[in-house]
Amino acid sequence: MSTPRVRDLRLVPLAAIVWVTALGCVFFPLVSWWCVLAGLGGAAVALGVLLHDRARGRARGGGLLVLLALAAAAAAMTAALAVPQREAAAEWDGQSVEVVGEIASSASTGSDGRIWFDVNTHTVGDADSPEQLAVPIRIGSERIDGLELGAVIRAGGRALVTDPGERAALVLFGDDIQVVTPAEGVFGVAAQMRADFVERAVALPEPGAGLLPGLAVGDTRAVSEELNAAMLSSGLSHLTAVSGANCAIVVGAVFWLVALCGGGRMTRIVLALAALAGFVVLVTPEPSVIRAATMAGLVMLTLMCGRPSAGVGVLCLAVVGILIADPWLAATAGFALSAAATAALIVLGPPLARGLGRWMPQPLALALAIPLAAHLVCGPIIVLFAEQQSIIGVAANILAAPAAPIATVVGLLACLTAPIPMLADLLAASAWLPAAWISTTATVTAALPGAAVLVVPGIITALIIAGLSAAIGIVLCGSAGSWGRRLHSASLVVLIVAVALTGARMLLGGPLAAMRVPEGWSVAACDVGQGDALLVRSEGQIALIDTGIDPALLRACLDALAIGRIDLLVLTHFDADHVGAASVVIGRVETVLHGPTGSAADAQLLDELAGAGAQLVSASTGMRGQLGGASWQVLWPRERSAAFPEGNDASIVVEFAGGGVPRSLFLGDLSATPQRMLSTQLHGVYPVVKVSHHGSADQDPGLYAAVRPAVAIVSAGSGNDYGHPRAETLDLLEAVGARALRTDLQGRILIGLAGDELQVWTERSGAGENAADVDDPG
């Protein structure tokens, strides 16, 4: 057993070097050809040394060095060959373009409510003179039929160049999308099967109906925002990501069924490979699916050769092959998490099971070791881009583990048997029960106190989480020898300090939260990621303007500010990043002031609020009211406007003033055109302005010049994909004399009024001070 382990571990440097090379080439494209030359030169030198040693009868393992250098050169060459096309695409940054291309991914709903999907372009440019250009781009659009893998579309809209390292060369905000050629062949069949299955699944009762397509075929479009947030908080979101576990379940099920029918080894392998290929097409080839399918294919090949192996060596070969074909996957979180989770199960799982077996029965120890290993290894990666860490994830995964394979296999069979409706209905109903169990597990565990903790994404936090994960692993796995015992003791000390600090943080963020918040605030901007959630307070009464998309983030902000009841809820419009977390305040709202509805889901949300006791009021220009001692007035939208019937440009714009509240203007997501129309009815100065649309570039300079804000609040998510706030918008705010306060940099922002001066407090120092006075020009 020891020899294969040594062989597998020797392939780890190969995967590591190729991964690092791929990262360097995609983040710094100009070095790609230099990496190719370095790799080829290194391979030539290593080969020369190897031949020289063999001629002298010596062998130093130089073959691995040759392979390492060639693999790194191959990954660098793939990136280098793509540079000219990507540079040509970058020339369209900020312009309106038309693209024709083939959809290359499944569609998913983004935080802005748009449907997002990847496209491999055929042409890019003006409609009259398109250029032949083959680059991957990402398109966001309104929901339309036919956006399936393999379909050819024509899309027009505004293009933005992406940051280095992103797989897509451009992001296109599509406003005119046409399906030129629907998905055909196997992709067309797969699309129809998925659509039939989703329709059949959502007809079942909740909980579980919307989650079932995600568990079986990775289609999460029917998953509600509330359930999606609960899955994230409970650490169960990987179940809908079609990870390696799904591929393993499919391959294992086919192996078992063929063996049950008496099939030989070769028959089992061939049918399992065929089933795996069909499964990848059905669920669409996402990064984790590509990794898992490639690894499963390599395992099948080793079985064919009579040398079964599914360890680190196979994982490394899979990683190397995938990164040579697509180096940009090295910078994607999904691929990194997938590879890390697999490595954790192989390397960390067994010692964790042995260590836990000292205190509990072995079957229970093994059940705990599997999710715990993945959780410990993936935690530092997740915190690089996520603003919360699940604390309850291991327990939730243990509860959900028995139901996941049943929901996956039976749901997949229900999808495949769509031509036989009675059988498909029976299988879907059978898969509904485990899906309902997983959905209930997610919602119940996510609602537990302390189920998730909010963190600041970044390298420093990742290093802290990595240290804590290592300490937990060392303590649980046990140790031997004097150095092992010292390391064990040091890890215990680290964990005791971490538990003490976490307990103190929970107290300060919970029962003692109000003691940490300055008393004099009257306007607050919650840090809810890429979304809006702002508060106005006057004489004890509270107005909440939008909710953001993440219930956990909104709940944390309200708890920190000791807010229980919402007297006025303003839903400026119904994009997910403005109303997605409304479930947090259902039953706590007295009056809802809402913009125009555009879908059945919008109306359903209002019905839920009304059913819980809220009074619904449709907003229009001129509407007025009181909040404690402050008065508020609706400035936009115009009643029954044909030009702006719904969406961003029909956002409610409301002002508050008096009762200790500085005169404040909240602009929703208005674009420049309605801003320009609005500016004609604005009079006087607004010391506080909530910048429209998270600081996008689509602003009217005349409006900001007219209102002359002293403080401009920008509500945006850290590292968001849209580049918000845009540099030109920040320049505009600086030009009119406004101090920009950003939730992505400074966290929660509190503003108060002391005499004629604004007082500002921020959760983090960001680009400014933690507390400061700002002159009030009003």
Side-chain angles (χ1 to χ4, degrees):
M1 295 295 293
S2 60
T3 302
R5 290 180 183 173
V6 173
R7 183 187 66 234
D8 286 346
L9 292 177
R10 288 180 63 190
L11 293 176
V12 172
L14 173 65
I17 291 297
V18 171
W19 201 313
V20 170
T21 302
L23 280 174
C25 291
V26 300
F27 277 102
F28 306 100
L30 295 180
V31 307
S32 299
W33 283 114
W34 292 106
C35 290
V36 172
L37 294 175
L40 293 177
V45 171
L47 182 60
V49 173
L50 177 63
L51 294 176
H52 180 268
D53 287 345
R54 286 191 175 180
R56 292 176 173 267
R58 296 180 306 202
R60 298 181 180 177
L64 182 60
L65 294 177
V66 175
L67 179 62
L68 187 152
L70 289 176
M77 183 171 290
T78 303
L81 293 174
V83 169
Q85 295 279 293
R86 295 176 71 91
E87 288 181 343
E91 295 177 1
W92 293 98
D93 182 32
Q95 302 183 48
S96 294
V97 301
E98 181 180 273
V99 304
V100 175
E102 182 176 323
I103 296 179
S105 75
S106 58
S108 59
T109 304
S111 60
D112 58 356
R114 292 173 178 262
I115 299 296
W116 288 91
F117 52 94
D118 296 327
V119 170
N120 292 328
T121 65
H122 300 160
T123 63
V124 177
D126 297 324
D128 298 330
S129 56
E131 300 177 11
Q132 297 290 327
L133 203 58
V135 292
I137 67 171
R138 189 152 180 81
I139 296 180
S141 72
E142 301 298 323
R143 186 185 298 272
I144 65 172
D145 294 331
L147 298 179
E148 301 289 351
L149 179 70
V152 177
I153 66 166
R154 177 181 287 107
R158 185 166 176 262
L160 294 176
V161 70
T162 57
D163 294 329
E166 293 194 35
R167 190 174 188 276
L170 293 173
V171 171
L172 182 72
F173 294 89
D175 51 24
D176 180 19
I177 295 184
Q178 301 173 352
V179 177
V180 178
T181 306
E184 297 175 338
V186 292
F187 295 121
V189 173
Q192 187 59 52
M193 292 173 67
R194 284 196 304 271
D196 292 343
F197 178 56
V198 171
E199 183 179 355
R200 179 169 282 108
V202 297
L204 296 166
E206 292 289 358
L211 184 61
L212 181 54
L215 295 171
V217 296
D219 192 319
T220 59
R221 284 175 287 183
V223 178
S224 65
E225 264 76 4
E226 294 81 4
L227 179 56
N228 184 58
M231 296 284 286
L232 287 170
S233 297
S234 60
L236 295 176
S237 58
H238 65 92
L239 295 179
T240 60
V242 192
S243 62
N246 301 75
C247 291
I249 289 170
V250 171
V251 171
V254 173
F255 252 67
W256 178 76
L257 287 173
V258 176
L260 194 64
C261 296
R265 185 180 69 181
M266 188 59 66
T267 303
R268 295 196 298 269
I269 292 171
V270 171
L271 291 180
L273 285 175
L276 182 61
F279 181 68
V280 170
V281 172
L282 181 62
V283 302
T284 69
E286 305 294 345
S288 61
V289 182
I290 295 172
R291 191 275 313 161
T294 303
M295 186 171 180
L298 289 173
V299 172
M300 296 300 104
L301 290 176
T302 59
L303 288 174
M304 286 182 181
C305 297
R307 300 177 62 182
S309 173
V312 176
V314 174
L315 175 62
C316 291
L317 289 176
V319 167
V320 169
I322 292 169
L323 292 181
I324 289 175
D326 191 349
W328 285 270
L329 288 178
T332 62
F335 183 73
L337 288 171
S338 182
T342 302
L345 298 181
I346 296 170
V347 177
L348 188 57
L352 272 179
R354 288 193 298 270
L356 293 171
R358 294 174 296 173
W359 305 307
M360 62 187 69
Q362 196 61 39
L364 179 58
L366 182 60
L368 277 170
I370 292 173
L372 182 58
H375 199 72
L376 291 178
V377 173
C378 292
I381 301 175
I382 292 173
V383 83
L384 287 172
F385 56 88
E387 295 180 327
Q388 65 179 26
Q389 281 272 304
S390 176
I391 302 300
I392 202 71
V394 174
N397 274 276
I398 292 172
L399 291 172
I406 300 173
T408 298
V409 173
V410 179
L412 184 58
L413 290 174
C415 182
L416 296 174
T417 56
I420 312 174
M422 290 185 62
L423 179 58
D425 289 340
L426 176 62
L427 291 170
S430 302
W432 167 83
L433 184 59
W437 172 262
I438 294 171
S439 179
T440 303
T441 299
T443 53
V444 171
T445 55
L448 293 174
V453 294
L454 301 179
V455 296
V456 180
I459 296 293
I460 295 177
T461 309
L463 292 174
I464 294 173
I465 297 298
L468 292 175
S469 297
I472 293 172
I474 291 169
V475 169
L476 294 180
C477 290
S479 57
S482 60
W483 279 106
R485 286 190 291 272
R486 291 175 185 174
L487 195 58
H488 185 272
S489 300
S491 299
L492 276 176
V493 172
V494 169
L495 293 180
I496 290 170
V497 172
V499 169
L501 292 176
T502 302
R505 189 178 187 276
M506 291 176 65
L507 285 173
L508 292 174
L512 305 181
M515 298 176 61
R516 301 171 56 233
V517 176
E519 287 290 337
W521 73 270
S522 54
V523 177
C526 294
D527 181 10
V528 291
Q530 184 66 9
D532 276 8
L534 299 110
L535 294 152
V536 179
R537 183 178 70 168
S538 177
E539 297 181 359
Q541 292 196 350
I542 300 293
L544 172 62
I545 304 170
D546 291 328
T547 69
I549 191 173
D550 191 325
L553 295 175
L554 177 63
R555 188 181 294 111
C557 183
L558 296 179
D559 290 345
L561 297 176
I563 293 172
R565 183 74 181 169
I566 306 296
D567 298 283
L568 176 66
L569 173 62
V570 182
L571 300 179
T572 61
H573 60 298
F574 288 89
D575 283 355
D577 55 333
H578 291 257
V579 302
S583 58
V584 171
V585 296
I586 290 178
R588 301 165 61 181
V589 177
E590 182 174 330
T591 302
V592 177
L593 189 66
H594 64 87
T597 58
S599 68
D602 302 344
Q604 181 181 353
L605 173 59
L606 293 179
D607 289 343
E608 291 175 1
L609 287 162
Q615 177 187 359
L616 304 182
V617 179
S618 180
S620 61
T621 303
M623 193 172 289
R624 301 171 182 269
Q626 291 292 128
L627 180 80
S631 60
W632 57 263
Q633 179 181 0
V634 175
L635 305 177
W636 192 272
R638 296 174 180 174
E639 192 171 7
R640 291 187 293 274
S641 171
F644 309 112
E646 61 182 70
N648 287 353
D649 287 343
S651 296
I652 296 176
V653 175
V654 61
E655 71 166 44
F656 284 82
V661 179
R663 194 177 188 214
S664 306
L665 180 67
F666 300 87
L667 289 170
D669 273 3
L670 289 194
S671 65
T673 298
Q675 283 181 33
R676 196 171 300 114
M677 298 170 65
L678 173 66
S679 64
T680 61
Q681 64 188 72
L682 296 177
H683 304 287
V685 172
Y686 289 86
V688 178
V689 171
K690 198 289 294 187
V691 177
S692 178
H693 204 186
H694 322 292
S696 75
D698 197 7
Q699 311 285 342
D700 175 39
L703 181 143
Y704 291 92
V707 300
R708 288 183 292 153
V711 165
I713 300 171
V714 182
S715 186
S718 177
N720 65 83
D721 293 335
Y722 313 102
H724 293 164
R726 301 287 289 184
E728 50 265 51
T729 299
L730 295 175
D731 291 342
L732 165 63
L733 296 175
E734 183 179 3
V736 298
R739 175 184 175 188
L741 300 174
R742 300 168 49 176
T743 59
D744 61 330
L745 296 181
Q746 294 156 306
R748 185 169 59 249
I749 298 164
L750 304 177
I751 300 172
L753 190 59
D756 293 331
E757 288 186 335
L758 296 179
Q759 288 189 313
V760 176
W761 300 269
T762 61
E763 185 177 14
R764 301 188 294 273
S765 60
E769 297 300 322
N770 201 47
D773 293 332
V774 178
D775 291 337
D776 180 355

